[in-house]
Amino acid sequence: MYFRGKNVLILGGTGTIGQSLIELLLGEEPGLIRVFSRDEYKQFKLHQAIGKRRNVEYMLGDVRDGDRLLSAMEDIDYAFHVAALKQVSSCEDNPMEAVL
């Protein structure tokens, strides 16, 4: 129970890895899981999937926005950065976005 009572930030929390991490962390009874992602629809779907939880909050933002990241880090004990573009073809078609 390493994360019991701890506040955890998951950057890219609505992605495949982020959702698996949330599921794992919920079993450890964290004080807070802050889900940070830029996709409001995925946040909506995740909220529907896991239901209303007192210790899960959602924050819209992009990891490229430093001020928003600082805001997301407030009162956080641990942060996991799992935000990424993972489709090679999309990255090839949009190389500047992949670099950013």
mmCIF file of all heavy atoms in Angstrom, residues 16-34:
data_model
loop_
_atom_site.group_PDB
_atom_site.id
_atom_site.type_symbol
_atom_site.label_atom_id
_atom_site.label_comp_id
_atom_site.label_asym_id
_atom_site.label_seq_id
_atom_site.Cartn_x
_atom_site.Cartn_y
_atom_site.Cartn_z
ATOM 1 N N THR A 16 -4.272 4.516 -22.580
ATOM 2 C CA THR A 16 -4.259 3.093 -22.229
ATOM 3 C C THR A 16 -3.473 2.833 -20.951
ATOM 4 O O THR A 16 -3.961 2.173 -20.024
ATOM 5 C CB THR A 16 -3.654 2.273 -23.391
ATOM 6 O OG1 THR A 16 -4.365 2.565 -24.588
ATOM 7 C CG2 THR A 16 -3.731 0.785 -23.109
ATOM 8 N N ILE A 17 -2.268 3.346 -20.892
ATOM 9 C CA ILE A 17 -1.432 3.133 -19.709
ATOM 10 C C ILE A 17 -2.013 3.881 -18.512
ATOM 11 O O ILE A 17 -2.074 3.353 -17.401
ATOM 12 C CB ILE A 17 0.017 3.566 -19.983
ATOM 13 C CG1 ILE A 17 0.626 2.698 -21.081
ATOM 14 C CG2 ILE A 17 0.864 3.488 -18.707
ATOM 15 C CD1 ILE A 17 1.961 3.183 -21.594
ATOM 16 N N GLY A 18 -2.457 5.108 -18.736
ATOM 17 C CA GLY A 18 -3.028 5.903 -17.650
ATOM 18 C C GLY A 18 -4.227 5.245 -17.006
ATOM 19 O O GLY A 18 -4.343 5.201 -15.775
ATOM 20 N N GLN A 19 -5.119 4.697 -17.807
ATOM 21 C CA GLN A 19 -6.309 4.045 -17.258
ATOM 22 C C GLN A 19 -5.941 2.795 -16.461
ATOM 23 O O GLN A 19 -6.526 2.525 -15.405
ATOM 24 C CB GLN A 19 -7.283 3.704 -18.381
ATOM 25 C CG GLN A 19 -7.950 4.938 -18.954
ATOM 26 C CD GLN A 19 -8.997 4.598 -19.983
ATOM 27 O OE1 GLN A 19 -9.839 3.726 -19.769
ATOM 28 N NE2 GLN A 19 -8.962 5.286 -21.106
ATOM 29 N N SER A 20 -4.970 2.051 -16.939
ATOM 30 C CA SER A 20 -4.514 0.865 -16.194
ATOM 31 C C SER A 20 -3.887 1.278 -14.871
ATOM 32 O O SER A 20 -4.089 0.623 -13.843
ATOM 33 C CB SER A 20 -3.508 0.067 -17.022
ATOM 34 O OG SER A 20 -4.128 -0.468 -18.163
ATOM 35 N N LEU A 21 -3.146 2.366 -14.891
ATOM 36 C CA LEU A 21 -2.515 2.872 -13.677
ATOM 37 C C LEU A 21 -3.561 3.328 -12.662
ATOM 38 O O LEU A 21 -3.444 3.055 -11.467
ATOM 39 C CB LEU A 21 -1.568 4.010 -14.043
ATOM 40 C CG LEU A 21 -0.703 4.591 -12.946
ATOM 41 C CD1 LEU A 21 0.128 3.526 -12.250
ATOM 42 C CD2 LEU A 21 0.202 5.672 -13.535
ATOM 43 N N ILE A 22 -4.590 3.995 -13.138
ATOM 44 C CA ILE A 22 -5.678 4.424 -12.250
ATOM 45 C C ILE A 22 -6.318 3.222 -11.575
ATOM 46 O O ILE A 22 -6.542 3.218 -10.363
ATOM 47 C CB ILE A 22 -6.726 5.240 -13.028
ATOM 48 C CG1 ILE A 22 -6.144 6.592 -13.431
ATOM 49 C CG2 ILE A 22 -8.003 5.417 -12.208
ATOM 50 C CD1 ILE A 22 -6.964 7.334 -14.466
ATOM 51 N N GLU A 23 -6.608 2.201 -12.353
ATOM 52 C CA GLU A 23 -7.224 0.986 -11.805
ATOM 53 C C GLU A 23 -6.343 0.374 -10.715
ATOM 54 O O GLU A 23 -6.820 -0.008 -9.647
ATOM 55 C CB GLU A 23 -7.456 -0.018 -12.925
ATOM 56 C CG GLU A 23 -8.209 -1.258 -12.502
ATOM 57 C CD GLU A 23 -8.474 -2.195 -13.673
ATOM 58 O OE1 GLU A 23 -8.779 -1.720 -14.772
ATOM 59 O OE2 GLU A 23 -8.366 -3.416 -13.448
ATOM 60 N N LEU A 24 -5.055 0.315 -10.963
ATOM 61 C CA LEU A 24 -4.113 -0.224 -9.989
ATOM 62 C C LEU A 24 -4.063 0.640 -8.734
ATOM 63 O O LEU A 24 -4.112 0.131 -7.605
ATOM 64 C CB LEU A 24 -2.723 -0.323 -10.621
ATOM 65 C CG LEU A 24 -1.608 -0.851 -9.735
ATOM 66 C CD1 LEU A 24 -1.770 -2.352 -9.542
ATOM 67 C CD2 LEU A 24 -0.262 -0.534 -10.347
ATOM 68 N N LEU A 25 -3.983 1.953 -8.918
ATOM 69 C CA LEU A 25 -3.866 2.868 -7.788
ATOM 70 C C LEU A 25 -5.121 2.894 -6.921
ATOM 71 O O LEU A 25 -5.029 3.044 -5.703
ATOM 72 C CB LEU A 25 -3.550 4.277 -8.279
ATOM 73 C CG LEU A 25 -2.144 4.497 -8.805
ATOM 74 C CD1 LEU A 25 -2.034 5.861 -9.472
ATOM 75 C CD2 LEU A 25 -1.117 4.369 -7.689
ATOM 76 N N LEU A 26 -6.287 2.762 -7.525
ATOM 77 C CA LEU A 26 -7.520 2.780 -6.741
ATOM 78 C C LEU A 26 -7.524 1.690 -5.679
ATOM 79 O O LEU A 26 -8.073 1.871 -4.596
ATOM 80 C CB LEU A 26 -8.744 2.653 -7.648
ATOM 81 C CG LEU A 26 -9.112 3.920 -8.418
ATOM 82 C CD1 LEU A 26 -10.208 3.627 -9.436
ATOM 83 C CD2 LEU A 26 -9.527 5.040 -7.477
ATOM 84 N N GLY A 27 -6.888 0.575 -5.970
ATOM 85 C CA GLY A 27 -6.793 -0.510 -4.998
ATOM 86 C C GLY A 27 -5.884 -0.194 -3.827
ATOM 87 O O GLY A 27 -5.917 -0.877 -2.802
ATOM 88 N N GLU A 28 -5.074 0.851 -3.953
ATOM 89 C CA GLU A 28 -4.146 1.236 -2.885
ATOM 90 C C GLU A 28 -4.685 2.368 -2.011
ATOM 91 O O GLU A 28 -3.990 2.861 -1.135
ATOM 92 C CB GLU A 28 -2.792 1.627 -3.478
ATOM 93 C CG GLU A 28 -2.095 0.454 -4.114
ATOM 94 C CD GLU A 28 -0.594 0.533 -3.977
ATOM 95 O OE1 GLU A 28 -0.083 1.364 -3.208
ATOM 96 O OE2 GLU A 28 0.065 -0.262 -4.643
ATOM 97 N N GLU A 29 -5.899 2.795 -2.245
ATOM 98 C CA GLU A 29 -6.565 3.820 -1.449
ATOM 99 C C GLU A 29 -5.771 5.123 -1.354
ATOM 100 O O GLU A 29 -5.452 5.611 -0.265
ATOM 101 C CB GLU A 29 -6.863 3.276 -0.046
ATOM 102 C CG GLU A 29 -7.730 2.045 -0.063
ATOM 103 C CD GLU A 29 -7.902 1.407 1.304
ATOM 104 O OE1 GLU A 29 -7.570 2.055 2.313
ATOM 105 O OE2 GLU A 29 -8.360 0.261 1.347
ATOM 106 N N PRO A 30 -5.469 5.739 -2.502
ATOM 107 C CA PRO A 30 -4.762 7.023 -2.463
ATOM 108 C C PRO A 30 -5.669 8.133 -1.929
ATOM 109 O O PRO A 30 -6.897 8.006 -1.957
ATOM 110 C CB PRO A 30 -4.424 7.275 -3.936
ATOM 111 C CG PRO A 30 -5.507 6.581 -4.682
ATOM 112 C CD PRO A 30 -5.820 5.347 -3.863
ATOM 113 N N GLY A 31 -5.049 9.201 -1.448
ATOM 114 C CA GLY A 31 -5.837 10.343 -1.015
ATOM 115 C C GLY A 31 -6.521 11.005 -2.197
ATOM 116 O O GLY A 31 -7.674 11.403 -2.125
ATOM 117 N N LEU A 32 -5.786 11.108 -3.310
ATOM 118 C CA LEU A 32 -6.308 11.746 -4.515
ATOM 119 C C LEU A 32 -5.599 11.194 -5.735
ATOM 120 O O LEU A 32 -4.392 10.974 -5.709
ATOM 121 C CB LEU A 32 -6.064 13.268 -4.451
ATOM 122 C CG LEU A 32 -6.366 14.059 -5.717
ATOM 123 C CD1 LEU A 32 -7.870 14.160 -5.946
ATOM 124 C CD2 LEU A 32 -5.754 15.447 -5.637
ATOM 125 N N ILE A 33 -6.373 10.980 -6.785
ATOM 126 C CA ILE A 33 -5.811 10.733 -8.110
ATOM 127 C C ILE A 33 -6.299 11.879 -8.985
ATOM 128 O O ILE A 33 -7.508 12.053 -9.180
ATOM 129 C CB ILE A 33 -6.269 9.394 -8.717
ATOM 130 C CG1 ILE A 33 -5.797 8.224 -7.868
ATOM 131 C CG2 ILE A 33 -5.749 9.258 -10.155
ATOM 132 C CD1 ILE A 33 -6.336 6.876 -8.332
ATOM 133 N N ARG A 34 -5.369 12.664 -9.490
ATOM 134 C CA ARG A 34 -5.711 13.757 -10.405
ATOM 135 C C ARG A 34 -5.392 13.282 -11.819
ATOM 136 O O ARG A 34 -4.245 13.005 -12.151
ATOM 137 C CB ARG A 34 -4.919 15.013 -10.062
ATOM 138 C CG ARG A 34 -5.292 16.213 -10.920
ATOM 139 C CD ARG A 34 -4.631 17.481 -10.406
ATOM 140 N NE ARG A 34 -5.179 17.835 -9.101
ATOM 141 C CZ ARG A 34 -4.488 18.462 -8.147
ATOM 142 N NH1 ARG A 34 -3.231 18.808 -8.346
ATOM 143 N NH2 ARG A 34 -5.061 18.734 -7.002
#
